Amino acid sequence: MTFKREYAKRWLFGMALVATPYAALWFVTEVYGVPMVRGVATQAVRELASNADTSTTDRQGARPVQWCSAGAYGPLAVHAEFHWQNELESGDGKNLYLWCFGRTLLIHETRHTIP
């Protein structure tokens, strides 16, 4: 009986030893990484929207509609979803980034443009 109890204590201690840094890293990614990646993704959406074909309509003050949201998939992994729309075209996409304490690396990109 003491063997089972001792084994359970070791197992719980081991799980706590692994889960605590994992959860702390996920929290740091959510607090610091998500806003940083959202800024990078928003800049990419602005570039996509400004590169869209707007030659046939040159209305004064017409600006593309765009939005971007981001969230942490796990420690150091951040996903961003975006949508943009102007007079002629629209598009959306999802990107997966690796955030490493101030640096972002695009891992996977999915974009759809609808003329």
Side-chain angles (χ1 to χ4, degrees):
M1 190 64 136
T2 59
F3 176 74
K4 285 184 178 181
R5 187 174 298 152
E6 194 65 33
Y7 179 76
K9 285 181 185 178
R10 285 185 188 170
W11 186 82
L12 286 174
F13 180 73
M15 289 302 293
L17 200 61
V18 170
T20 302
Y22 185 83
L25 198 55
W26 196 332
F27 177 75
V28 168
T29 303
E30 184 70 41
V31 171
Y32 296 107
V34 169
M36 188 175 293
V37 169
R38 186 180 300 121
V40 170
T42 302
Q43 183 62 31
V45 171
R46 284 186 186 130
E47 290 175 11
L48 281 173
S50 67
N51 290 340
D53 183 23
T54 58
S55 59
T56 58
T57 59
D58 289 330
R59 293 195 330 177
Q60 194 84 9
R63 299 185 66 197
V65 177
Q66 56 198 9
W67 64 263
C68 180
S69 66
Y73 266 166
L76 306 180
V78 180
H79 71 93
E81 297 181 19
F82 59 88
H83 176 78
W84 60 271
Q85 178 179 359
N86 62 16
E87 298 279 325
L88 299 174
E89 294 181 323
S90 66
D92 61 356
K94 297 178 184 181
N95 295 344
L96 181 63
Y97 292 90
L98 176 68
W99 175 78
C100 192
F101 303 102
R103 309 278 258 154
T104 58
L105 177 67
L106 179 63
I107 296 175
H108 183 71
E109 178 177 28
T110 305
R111 264 195 266 170
H112 304 285
T113 303
I114 304 165

